[in-house]
Amino acid sequence: MALLNSLFTWFLKKRMHQIDLFIKYPHEVQEEWFQSLISTAEATEWGKKYDYKSILTPEEFKERVPIQDYDSIKGYVDRMIKGEQNILWPSDIKWFAKSSGTTADKSKFIPVSEEALEECHYQGGKDMLSIYCHNRPENKLFTGKSVVLGGSSQINSFNSDSYYGDLSSILIRNLPFWAEFKRTPNTEVTLNPNFEEKIENIANITIKENVTSLAGVPTWNVVMAKRILEITGKSNLLEVWPNLEFYSHGGVSFKPYREQFKKLIPSENMYYLENYNASEGYFALQDRSDSDDLLLMLDYGVYYEFLPIENLHDEHPKTLSLDQVEIGKNYALIISTNAGLWRYMIGDTIKFTDLSPYRIQVSGRTKQYINTFGEEVIVDNAEMAVNKACERTHAIVKDYTAGPVYFKDGEAGAHEWIIEFEQQPDNFEHFCQILDDTLKSVNSDYEAKRFKNMALSFPIIHNAPQNTFFGWMKSRDKLGGQNKVPRLSNNREYLEPILKLMGK
């Protein structure tokens, strides 16, 4: 095993030279990918519609092709699901990632081409391992196995030759043999659509293995870890897997989960790296353990544009190229990809923290915010407020969501929060006060609306019973996979059913 570990580590570290190249020449790399994507797709139905053959520059591309969302390409995707090809991308597309996005209950089916699998999603996974091996050359990662908590997949009802499922399930279904060799449990168990049964099986199988790494969404990994400790009677995961050294996570902000993982894995040697991987592509990953910033990956077959959030609802919004962005500003992410998504708005907002190299943080969702009273509170603001309140009151938050309370009978509006704690705050009232004060300190619009309670009163904050959010997600058939609790909503569509579940 030691020889195999050395071989894998050597192979993965070779990739660091290529990463250094796109860090050194970011704009040239993006320009090359732009030209490659346009020329590859010029004979597709979409390419002919917008005459890709005559497009020479990104500026012409932006002028000719409108910004897209799922509704605007749904007709094309539906045809592809039924078996039509050469619509958005020239190679055959047989896999569709069923999006479990939190902005709407309806399903979205994102095309996943062979190129996107190999050049984007798998490359991102390999690069995460490359960076880990580079940062920690003494690692023993490949002497054991990895537990990847995936979603589920099934043959779709339109065409027996095409398939859909959570992105994680598609990746697992198509893994190369060497990756399959290092993973536990087997595919059948990992992709079981019954989440609770899957957790039970994974727990019982993996406790007998030498597990050195974990991967997946923190929310569901915590559920799995707790079940493992219940079965084994152990107090932490290191008593079950003494060689555990690495956790690759994504899907939600890790900040609310950091303290939980410190308790589950009480070791200063445990290494954590975050990835920014969505159904639409793999975009960024954490390359330094001492910073939460994510390195924007520029050679994955994705051409990036950035739409300033203040221009989101303009009739003809103008996007910026990579060389035009600024640090600290919020941008809606627009992508063109090697799976045939063209100027596609994925719904995430990001902000740059560094321009050399280009590093980002995911700041929220274009449709996850509260702006009922002009306060423009985004997920990034909420995360900062919750984290500060936890830090000051020694609390650990398990999950939360928030939305508006509308004006009524001349009274001011408010924000209503439902928070489930893993560890209760020293003083709940103090927690609530710090949350409100922090929001005012990081968001001047919120502060203005809170002034003398004129537009916004002090927030209503519910201390939810244990497993409230698990029960709500289960009632929506949203357990496991890439399903996430929506943090903010500009209406009460999430608050009302959760409050009802709580008997309020």
Side-chain angles (χ1 to χ4, degrees):
M1 281 297 181
L3 178 61
L4 185 64
N5 186 73
S6 299
L7 183 63
F8 271 117
T9 300
W10 172 81
F11 174 75
L12 290 167
K13 286 174 68 175
K14 289 178 65 178
R15 164 67 176 159
M16 295 305 298
H17 174 65
Q18 294 169 306
I19 293 175
D20 288 339
L21 280 177
F22 79 65
I23 286 176
K24 189 174 182 180
Y25 303 105
H27 308 124
E28 292 85 349
V29 169
Q30 276 287 279
E31 175 68 24
E32 284 181 13
W33 269 112
F34 168 76
Q35 297 294 345
S36 175
L37 291 170
I38 291 295
S39 60
T40 301
E42 65 183 26
T44 62
E45 181 177 318
W46 183 273
K48 291 176 180 177
K49 178 180 179 179
Y50 291 103
D51 193 15
Y52 274 20
K53 196 171 185 178
S54 68
I55 292 177
L56 300 178
T57 66
E59 289 69 32
E60 290 177 329
F61 178 59
K62 294 177 183 181
E63 290 174 5
R64 195 174 302 179
V65 181
I67 291 175
Q68 308 295 314
D69 59 17
Y70 188 74
D71 288 338
S72 63
I73 67 166
K74 183 178 183 300
Y76 295 96
V77 174
D78 287 345
R79 290 167 55 198
M80 294 162 66
I81 288 174
K82 294 176 182 178
E84 290 190 56
Q85 299 293 345
N86 204 37
I87 305 295
L88 298 174
W89 188 250
S91 62
D92 285 356
I93 294 179
K94 296 182 178 181
W95 285 95
F96 298 84
K98 185 179 180 182
S99 172
S100 52
T102 54
T103 59
D105 285 332
K106 67 181 181 181
S107 296
K108 296 187 286 188
F109 297 91
I110 305 301
V112 181
S113 66
E114 288 291 334
E115 293 91 337
L117 276 175
E118 294 297 331
E119 298 170 353
C120 188
H121 293 291
Y122 286 145
Q123 188 61 58
K126 287 186 285 187
D127 281 354
M128 176 67 79
L129 294 176
S130 296
I131 285 171
Y132 176 68
C133 292
H134 177 265
N135 291 357
R136 184 177 266 187
E138 75 283 3
N139 78 85
K140 297 180 180 179
L141 188 68
F142 299 104
T143 62
K145 294 193 174 184
S146 176
V147 176
V148 180
L149 194 55
S152 62
S153 66
Q154 64 189 85
I155 297 173
N156 74 52
S157 58
F158 299 110
N159 175 16
S160 60
D161 290 329
S162 61
Y163 309 86
Y164 68 78
D166 291 342
L167 174 66
S168 57
S169 72
I170 292 174
L171 299 181
I172 290 170
R173 287 280 188 191
N174 292 276
L175 278 174
F177 79 93
W178 61 268
E180 185 69 22
F181 174 69
K182 300 303 296 179
R183 189 177 59 79
T184 185
N186 62 35
T187 301
E188 182 180 356
V189 173
T190 303
L191 299 183
N192 185 344
N194 185 320
F195 179 74
E196 291 169 292
E197 185 178 288
K198 170 162 58 183
I199 288 292
E200 195 71 17
N201 291 336
I202 288 177
N204 281 291
I205 292 169
T206 60
I207 58 177
K208 304 179 183 72
E209 298 278 7
N210 175 29
V211 172
T212 54
S213 67
L214 304 173
V217 178
T219 313
W220 307 118
N221 272 265
V222 168
V223 174
M224 179 187 71
K226 288 183 175 180
R227 184 56 187 144
I228 286 172
L229 297 183
E230 287 173 1
I231 291 172
T232 60
K234 304 296 186 182
S235 60
N236 64 69
L237 288 180
L238 292 178
E239 294 179 2
V240 182
W241 301 318
N243 298 315
L244 185 62
E245 62 176 75
F246 179 45
Y247 176 37
S248 167
H249 58 87
V252 296
S253 170
F254 191 59
K255 291 177 183 177
Y257 299 93
R258 196 180 303 277
E259 291 304 315
Q260 292 187 66
F261 275 89
K262 284 183 180 179
K263 289 188 173 184
L264 290 168
I265 311 169
S267 170
E268 293 299 320
N269 292 322
M270 187 66 186
Y271 207 92
Y272 299 88
L273 288 179
E274 182 173 356
N275 65 74
Y276 176 21
N277 190 17
S279 298
E280 297 86 355
Y282 200 122
F283 307 124
L285 53 82
Q286 186 180 357
D287 63 326
R288 304 173 300 179
S289 63
D290 59 349
S291 170
D292 291 334
D293 301 345
L294 306 178
L295 179 67
L296 188 64
M297 306 306 284
L298 302 177
D299 63 348
Y300 284 2
V302 180
Y303 177 73
Y304 296 103
E305 299 174 55
F306 308 92
L307 175 59
I309 200 68
E310 61 268 23
N311 303 125
L312 185 63
H313 301 295
D314 289 358
E315 186 175 356
H316 301 291
K318 301 291 186 182
T319 62
L320 304 179
S321 298
L322 192 61
D323 60 345
Q324 298 173 305
V325 298
E326 299 178 43
I327 288 176
K329 291 194 173 183
N330 277 296
Y331 299 102
L333 190 61
I334 312 293
I335 59 171
S336 297
T337 76
N338 52 7
L341 298 176
W342 300 106
R343 304 202 73 208
Y344 186 83
M345 185 185 299
I346 68 171
D348 289 338
T349 60
I350 61 103
K351 60 182 179 182
F352 285 87
T353 57
D354 198 345
L355 303 182
S356 182
Y358 287 98
R359 289 195 172 97
I360 65 170
Q361 290 180 351
V362 181
S363 55
R365 297 279 295 173
T366 56
K367 294 184 180 179
Q368 267 197 62
Y369 57 85
I370 308 177
N371 194 31
T372 308
F373 312 100
E375 65 274 43
E376 297 187 15
V377 172
I378 62 174
V379 173
D380 190 48
N381 302 152
E383 295 282 3
M384 292 176 69
V386 169
N387 292 333
K388 180 64 72 174
C390 283
E391 179 184 316
R392 294 281 184 84
T393 64
H394 307 102
I396 300 176
V397 165
K398 193 173 183 179
D399 258 316
Y400 72 88
T401 194
V405 177
Y406 303 119
F407 290 132
K408 184 179 180 182
D409 299 328
E411 296 180 358
H415 288 179
E416 188 165 10
W417 294 69
I418 302 172
I419 303 179
E420 183 180 334
F421 292 94
E422 179 70 22
Q423 179 174 300
Q424 289 289 331
D426 298 338
N427 184 305
F428 182 67
E429 288 72 25
H430 190 207
F431 177 95
C432 298
Q433 186 64 62
I434 295 170
L435 188 148
D436 182 55
D437 289 344
T438 305
L439 277 177
K440 286 189 283 189
S441 71
V442 300
N443 185 317
S444 58
D445 291 314
Y446 178 84
E447 182 182 35
K449 303 304 182 296
R450 284 282 292 113
F451 182 68
K452 294 186 176 180
N453 296 326
M454 289 194 300
L456 280 175
S457 298
F458 190 83
I460 301 166
I461 304 179
H462 302 278
N463 191 335
Q466 285 297 301
N467 296 318
T468 292
F469 283 96
F470 184 91
W472 178 61
M473 294 292 276
K474 183 177 180 179
S475 72
R476 301 169 69 224
D477 194 26
K478 294 283 187 180
L479 289 179
Q482 296 161 273
N483 298 299
K484 303 179 282 288
V485 172
R487 295 309 190 201
L488 303 178
S489 175
N490 206 36
N491 55 50
R492 296 182 61 81
E493 65 176 311
Y494 303 124
L495 286 175
E496 295 294 349
I498 302 174
L499 289 170
K500 186 177 180 180
L501 199 65
M502 294 167 56
K504 294 184 179 290

